[in-house]
Amino acid sequence: MQTDKPHQRKGSFLASMKAVLWSFFGVRKRADYENDAASLNPVHVIVAGLIGVAIFIGLIMLAVSFAVA
């Protein structure tokens, strides 16, 4: 008897955060991208992306506050 279970992706949250941070710089090899696409959990990638955006906005606000002061 064969059951149709969805494919479990085993990528860790740390690996997702690393992939998102590298994508912010825009420097990823195609092989690394394809490996990430096959192994990372999409929910982890979304959460890591939101955290990365929050950090980026915080750094921009900090830089602006130093420039204005």
Side-chain angles (χ1 to χ4, degrees):
M1 188 163 131
Q2 190 177 20
T3 60
D4 292 331
K5 293 185 180 179
H7 176 64
Q8 286 272 328
R9 296 179 180 203
K10 298 183 180 184
S12 69
F13 182 74
L14 184 62
S16 298
M17 195 69 190
K18 180 181 168 187
V20 167
L21 291 176
W22 276 115
S23 70
F24 276 10
F25 290 111
V27 288
R28 289 293 277 173
K29 294 180 184 175
R30 179 173 287 276
D32 290 338
Y33 169 76
E34 290 173 356
N35 185 27
D36 290 343
S39 66
L40 295 179
N41 186 341
V43 176
H44 288 172
V45 173
I46 291 169
V47 172
L50 292 174
I51 290 171
V53 166
I55 291 170
F56 180 72
I57 291 172
L59 289 173
I60 294 289
M61 290 175 63
L62 185 64
V64 168
S65 68
F66 279 134
V68 172

